[in-house]
Amino acid sequence: MSDRLRPQLYGIFGHPVGHSLSPVMHNAAFRHLEIEACYVPFDVADIEAAVQAVRTLDIRGVSITVPHKISIMPYLDQIDDAAAKIGAVNTVVNRDGVLTGTNTDGIGAVRALSEKGPIQGKRVAVVGAGGAARAIGFGVQSAGGKVVVFNRTVDRGRKLAEDLGCEFVPLSDIMQADTEIVVNATTVGMHPNSEKSPLPFEFLKPGMIVMDAVYSPLKTRLLEDAEARGCTQINGLNMLIYQGAAQFELWTGKKAPADLMLKAAEERRKPGR
Ligand code: NAP
């Protein structure tokens, strides 16, 4: 088959990957833009061998998810600034055989937040200090937000705040905080513990923008509380779609149809599917 007719191959490496919404959203975008390409979920145990397969099979781009976001780094040819700062890769771009690791989680969070208003100059509470919090912290800071890190484990929270050059407050002291935007980047509230919220109900104030990185369930306990308190709510699917849209743009050089990607992912999440 000539190169012109051969569909380009993309995919996601993770374990497990069966639940991933990435194939449905990327394939919908490829179809919409009439790009001859296919995005496949790969359940990967051996990440070094999987990176070799990217080279051998000329896979053009890969999304990287749990548990490979850090362990993949030594096998790539280069790591860009965003991924180096965050300390994790969620995207591989294959350009003429050179594999670059980058991270679009921060961009995804910033795009989702920006839909509800400017971030520049706003006080943003980032709750958590794991991979998602690191990405969101650096993303929000590069968009001009004033980040404050809140975390349960003091050492981990302090380390992230030090890396960001920002303030750290233990999560147990969150009632003292005065922020306009709050982002949950902990795993609290995730299925099957969906009755839990990382934040006290009284912390949420009318007019606050509250984003949850958790997307299973879509309406977390935190977002239910935020609605009851008159806050603006953003669910984790928005961040997920926008980090995927940023990947798509890096791979194809074309503007991603983010609305359509969101619809495809929502459709897939419908009960009974
Ligand atoms: P991670 O690296 O394991 O970090 C987990 C964080 O949650 C840590 O800060 C941890 O605090 C905190 N935590 C866990 N249990 C807690 C509890 N009972 N009380 C208070 N804090 C608690 O996880 P991650 O990769 O950052 O992912 C975090 C969430 O973001 C997950 O739900 C993931 O699905 C989501 N996510 C969403 C997107 C998206 O596009 N929407 C992208 C990436 C991740 P300690 O340091 O005290 O342990």
Side-chain angles (χ1 to χ4, degrees), residues 186-212:
T186 74
T187 49
V188 180
M190 238 171 108
H191 176 80
N193 299 311
S194 44
E195 81 292 349
K196 296 214 163 68
S197 168
L199 300 174
F201 186 76
E202 304 70 36
F203 172 73
L204 305 168
K205 311 275 178 335
M208 223 181 215
I209 295 175
V210 180
M211 182 163 100
D212 206 331

mmCIF file of all heavy atoms in Angstrom, residues 186-212:
data_model
loop_
_atom_site.group_PDB
_atom_site.id
_atom_site.type_symbol
_atom_site.label_atom_id
_atom_site.label_comp_id
_atom_site.label_asym_id
_atom_site.label_seq_id
_atom_site.Cartn_x
_atom_site.Cartn_y
_atom_site.Cartn_z
ATOM 1 N N THR A 186 -7.368 15.897 43.629
ATOM 2 C CA THR A 186 -7.173 14.673 44.416
ATOM 3 C C THR A 186 -8.051 13.581 43.799
ATOM 4 O O THR A 186 -8.850 13.844 42.899
ATOM 5 C CB THR A 186 -7.576 14.842 45.897
ATOM 6 O OG1 THR A 186 -9.004 14.863 45.990
ATOM 7 C CG2 THR A 186 -6.990 16.097 46.508
ATOM 8 N N THR A 187 -7.905 12.379 44.331
ATOM 9 C CA THR A 187 -8.757 11.281 43.865
ATOM 10 C C THR A 187 -10.053 11.198 44.693
ATOM 11 O O THR A 187 -10.876 10.312 44.450
ATOM 12 C CB THR A 187 -7.990 9.946 43.989
ATOM 13 O OG1 THR A 187 -7.432 9.884 45.302
ATOM 14 C CG2 THR A 187 -6.874 9.841 42.972
ATOM 15 N N VAL A 188 -10.229 12.116 45.623
ATOM 16 C CA VAL A 188 -11.402 12.053 46.516
ATOM 17 C C VAL A 188 -12.675 12.348 45.708
ATOM 18 O O VAL A 188 -12.745 13.343 44.990
ATOM 19 C CB VAL A 188 -11.274 13.055 47.685
ATOM 20 C CG1 VAL A 188 -12.503 12.982 48.590
ATOM 21 C CG2 VAL A 188 -10.002 12.797 48.481
ATOM 22 N N GLY A 189 -13.657 11.446 45.853
ATOM 23 C CA GLY A 189 -14.929 11.622 45.147
ATOM 24 C C GLY A 189 -15.045 10.715 43.934
ATOM 25 O O GLY A 189 -16.099 10.614 43.309
ATOM 26 N N MET A 190 -13.913 10.046 43.610
ATOM 27 C CA MET A 190 -13.907 9.143 42.461
ATOM 28 C C MET A 190 -14.692 7.876 42.759
ATOM 29 O O MET A 190 -14.670 7.394 43.892
ATOM 30 C CB MET A 190 -12.444 8.702 42.226
ATOM 31 C CG MET A 190 -11.915 9.011 40.884
ATOM 32 S SD MET A 190 -10.154 8.659 40.910
ATOM 33 C CE MET A 190 -10.126 7.203 39.942
ATOM 34 N N HIS A 191 -15.372 7.356 41.752
ATOM 35 C CA HIS A 191 -16.014 6.055 41.858
ATOM 36 C C HIS A 191 -15.015 5.033 42.407
ATOM 37 O O HIS A 191 -13.881 5.032 41.951
ATOM 38 C CB HIS A 191 -16.492 5.620 40.464
ATOM 39 C CG HIS A 191 -17.089 4.271 40.433
ATOM 40 N ND1 HIS A 191 -18.374 4.026 40.834
ATOM 41 C CD2 HIS A 191 -16.551 3.063 40.087
ATOM 42 C CE1 HIS A 191 -18.609 2.729 40.719
ATOM 43 N NE2 HIS A 191 -17.532 2.132 40.270
ATOM 44 N N PRO A 192 -15.307 4.181 43.368
ATOM 45 C CA PRO A 192 -16.611 3.922 43.983
ATOM 46 C C PRO A 192 -16.861 4.756 45.254
ATOM 47 O O PRO A 192 -17.854 4.539 45.923
ATOM 48 C CB PRO A 192 -16.521 2.435 44.347
ATOM 49 C CG PRO A 192 -15.076 2.230 44.666
ATOM 50 C CD PRO A 192 -14.297 3.198 43.809
ATOM 51 N N ASN A 193 -15.956 5.723 45.556
ATOM 52 C CA ASN A 193 -16.156 6.513 46.786
ATOM 53 C C ASN A 193 -16.823 7.851 46.467
ATOM 54 O O ASN A 193 -16.358 8.906 46.895
ATOM 55 C CB ASN A 193 -14.812 6.720 47.495
ATOM 56 C CG ASN A 193 -14.200 5.393 47.907
ATOM 57 O OD1 ASN A 193 -14.883 4.559 48.503
ATOM 58 N ND2 ASN A 193 -12.952 5.172 47.554
ATOM 59 N N SER A 194 -17.883 7.775 45.684
ATOM 60 C CA SER A 194 -18.445 8.995 45.115
ATOM 61 C C SER A 194 -19.273 9.809 46.113
ATOM 62 O O SER A 194 -19.722 10.903 45.790
ATOM 63 C CB SER A 194 -19.269 8.660 43.874
ATOM 64 O OG SER A 194 -20.069 7.554 44.118
ATOM 65 N N GLU A 195 -19.439 9.302 47.340
ATOM 66 C CA GLU A 195 -20.183 10.113 48.331
ATOM 67 C C GLU A 195 -19.269 11.117 49.019
ATOM 68 O O GLU A 195 -19.741 12.001 49.742
ATOM 69 C CB GLU A 195 -20.893 9.191 49.348
ATOM 70 C CG GLU A 195 -20.048 8.648 50.478
ATOM 71 C CD GLU A 195 -18.965 7.636 50.039
ATOM 72 O OE1 GLU A 195 -18.961 7.173 48.876
ATOM 73 O OE2 GLU A 195 -18.103 7.320 50.867
ATOM 74 N N LYS A 196 -17.969 11.060 48.753
ATOM 75 C CA LYS A 196 -17.001 11.918 49.472
ATOM 76 C C LYS A 196 -16.661 13.181 48.690
ATOM 77 O O LYS A 196 -16.615 13.177 47.462
ATOM 78 C CB LYS A 196 -15.701 11.137 49.701
ATOM 79 C CG LYS A 196 -15.847 9.931 50.590
ATOM 80 C CD LYS A 196 -14.577 9.747 51.423
ATOM 81 C CE LYS A 196 -14.795 8.835 52.604
ATOM 82 N NZ LYS A 196 -15.037 7.439 52.228
ATOM 83 N N SER A 197 -16.382 14.268 49.439
ATOM 84 C CA SER A 197 -15.879 15.509 48.834
ATOM 85 C C SER A 197 -14.572 15.873 49.538
ATOM 86 O O SER A 197 -14.444 15.676 50.744
ATOM 87 C CB SER A 197 -16.893 16.639 49.024
ATOM 88 O OG SER A 197 -16.283 17.870 48.684
ATOM 89 N N PRO A 198 -13.596 16.429 48.804
ATOM 90 C CA PRO A 198 -12.328 16.814 49.452
ATOM 91 C C PRO A 198 -12.449 18.109 50.248
ATOM 92 O O PRO A 198 -11.557 18.445 51.021
ATOM 93 C CB PRO A 198 -11.382 17.013 48.267
ATOM 94 C CG PRO A 198 -12.288 17.387 47.132
ATOM 95 C CD PRO A 198 -13.574 16.659 47.362
ATOM 96 N N LEU A 199 -13.563 18.855 50.062
ATOM 97 C CA LEU A 199 -13.671 20.191 50.664
ATOM 98 C C LEU A 199 -14.913 20.311 51.526
ATOM 99 O O LEU A 199 -15.976 19.795 51.168
ATOM 100 C CB LEU A 199 -13.755 21.257 49.554
ATOM 101 C CG LEU A 199 -12.554 21.303 48.602
ATOM 102 C CD1 LEU A 199 -12.812 22.282 47.476
ATOM 103 C CD2 LEU A 199 -11.294 21.687 49.364
ATOM 104 N N PRO A 200 -14.812 21.066 52.661
ATOM 105 C CA PRO A 200 -16.018 21.283 53.475
ATOM 106 C C PRO A 200 -17.042 22.112 52.689
ATOM 107 O O PRO A 200 -16.660 23.027 51.945
ATOM 108 C CB PRO A 200 -15.504 22.085 54.680
ATOM 109 C CG PRO A 200 -14.019 22.143 54.572
ATOM 110 C CD PRO A 200 -13.623 21.711 53.210
ATOM 111 N N PHE A 201 -18.316 21.782 52.882
ATOM 112 C CA PHE A 201 -19.414 22.480 52.200
ATOM 113 C C PHE A 201 -19.303 23.992 52.405
ATOM 114 O O PHE A 201 -19.473 24.783 51.484
ATOM 115 C CB PHE A 201 -20.730 21.938 52.787
ATOM 116 C CG PHE A 201 -21.966 22.440 52.114
ATOM 117 C CD1 PHE A 201 -22.343 21.943 50.878
ATOM 118 C CD2 PHE A 201 -22.768 23.402 52.736
ATOM 119 C CE1 PHE A 201 -23.500 22.396 50.252
ATOM 120 C CE2 PHE A 201 -23.924 23.856 52.113
ATOM 121 C CZ PHE A 201 -24.289 23.343 50.873
ATOM 122 N N GLU A 202 -18.952 24.408 53.637
ATOM 123 C CA GLU A 202 -18.932 25.841 53.997
ATOM 124 C C GLU A 202 -17.809 26.592 53.302
ATOM 125 O O GLU A 202 -17.824 27.821 53.233
ATOM 126 C CB GLU A 202 -18.744 26.029 55.513
ATOM 127 C CG GLU A 202 -19.758 25.349 56.398
ATOM 128 C CD GLU A 202 -19.620 23.831 56.411
ATOM 129 O OE1 GLU A 202 -18.479 23.328 56.356
ATOM 130 O OE2 GLU A 202 -20.670 23.150 56.448
ATOM 131 N N PHE A 203 -16.805 25.869 52.783
ATOM 132 C CA PHE A 203 -15.698 26.535 52.092
ATOM 133 C C PHE A 203 -16.178 27.144 50.765
ATOM 134 O O PHE A 203 -15.647 28.151 50.298
ATOM 135 C CB PHE A 203 -14.569 25.529 51.826
ATOM 136 C CG PHE A 203 -13.470 26.067 50.949
ATOM 137 C CD1 PHE A 203 -12.569 27.011 51.426
ATOM 138 C CD2 PHE A 203 -13.351 25.657 49.631
ATOM 139 C CE1 PHE A 203 -11.573 27.532 50.613
ATOM 140 C CE2 PHE A 203 -12.353 26.162 48.816
ATOM 141 C CZ PHE A 203 -11.458 27.108 49.302
ATOM 142 N N LEU A 204 -17.191 26.519 50.174
ATOM 143 C CA LEU A 204 -17.668 26.945 48.857
ATOM 144 C C LEU A 204 -18.539 28.181 49.006
ATOM 145 O O LEU A 204 -19.437 28.211 49.840
ATOM 146 C CB LEU A 204 -18.443 25.798 48.205
ATOM 147 C CG LEU A 204 -17.654 24.488 48.102
ATOM 148 C CD1 LEU A 204 -18.573 23.327 47.720
ATOM 149 C CD2 LEU A 204 -16.516 24.621 47.100
ATOM 150 N N LYS A 205 -18.246 29.212 48.202
ATOM 151 C CA LYS A 205 -18.980 30.488 48.309
ATOM 152 C C LYS A 205 -19.649 30.800 46.975
ATOM 153 O O LYS A 205 -19.088 30.473 45.921
ATOM 154 C CB LYS A 205 -18.017 31.635 48.641
ATOM 155 C CG LYS A 205 -17.068 31.381 49.791
ATOM 156 C CD LYS A 205 -17.703 31.716 51.120
ATOM 157 C CE LYS A 205 -16.841 31.438 52.318
ATOM 158 N NZ LYS A 205 -15.790 30.446 52.249
ATOM 159 N N PRO A 206 -20.807 31.489 47.014
ATOM 160 C CA PRO A 206 -21.462 31.856 45.761
ATOM 161 C C PRO A 206 -20.489 32.626 44.858
ATOM 162 O O PRO A 206 -19.731 33.457 45.338
ATOM 163 C CB PRO A 206 -22.607 32.775 46.214
ATOM 164 C CG PRO A 206 -22.850 32.409 47.636
ATOM 165 C CD PRO A 206 -21.541 31.956 48.197
ATOM 166 N N GLY A 207 -20.506 32.280 43.574
ATOM 167 C CA GLY A 207 -19.653 33.004 42.617
ATOM 168 C C GLY A 207 -18.292 32.354 42.407
ATOM 169 O O GLY A 207 -17.605 32.661 41.432
ATOM 170 N N MET A 208 -17.900 31.466 43.319
ATOM 171 C CA MET A 208 -16.625 30.757 43.155
ATOM 172 C C MET A 208 -16.692 29.858 41.925
ATOM 173 O O MET A 208 -17.759 29.312 41.622
ATOM 174 C CB MET A 208 -16.443 29.849 44.377
ATOM 175 C CG MET A 208 -15.087 29.829 44.983
ATOM 176 S SD MET A 208 -15.173 28.647 46.382
ATOM 177 C CE MET A 208 -14.091 29.435 47.505
ATOM 178 N N ILE A 209 -15.561 29.702 41.236
ATOM 179 C CA ILE A 209 -15.503 28.721 40.147
ATOM 180 C C ILE A 209 -14.892 27.439 40.710
ATOM 181 O O ILE A 209 -13.801 27.478 41.279
ATOM 182 C CB ILE A 209 -14.669 29.254 38.967
ATOM 183 C CG1 ILE A 209 -15.372 30.465 38.354
ATOM 184 C CG2 ILE A 209 -14.439 28.173 37.918
ATOM 185 C CD1 ILE A 209 -14.595 31.147 37.252
ATOM 186 N N VAL A 210 -15.611 26.336 40.584
ATOM 187 C CA VAL A 210 -15.166 25.063 41.165
ATOM 188 C C VAL A 210 -15.012 24.030 40.044
ATOM 189 O O VAL A 210 -15.983 23.706 39.361
ATOM 190 C CB VAL A 210 -16.188 24.543 42.214
ATOM 191 C CG1 VAL A 210 -15.722 23.224 42.812
ATOM 192 C CG2 VAL A 210 -16.412 25.582 43.305
ATOM 193 N N MET A 211 -13.777 23.567 39.869
ATOM 194 C CA MET A 211 -13.539 22.535 38.852
ATOM 195 C C MET A 211 -13.088 21.246 39.520
ATOM 196 O O MET A 211 -12.280 21.284 40.448
ATOM 197 C CB MET A 211 -12.478 22.983 37.853
ATOM 198 C CG MET A 211 -12.242 21.950 36.766
ATOM 199 S SD MET A 211 -11.397 22.590 35.337
ATOM 200 C CE MET A 211 -9.748 22.032 35.672
ATOM 201 N N ASP A 212 -13.623 20.130 39.059
ATOM 202 C CA ASP A 212 -13.191 18.823 39.562
ATOM 203 C C ASP A 212 -12.464 18.093 38.445
ATOM 204 O O ASP A 212 -13.001 17.960 37.342
ATOM 205 C CB ASP A 212 -14.415 18.010 40.030
ATOM 206 C CG ASP A 212 -14.024 16.998 41.098
ATOM 207 O OD1 ASP A 212 -12.861 16.544 41.067
ATOM 208 O OD2 ASP A 212 -14.867 16.686 41.952
#
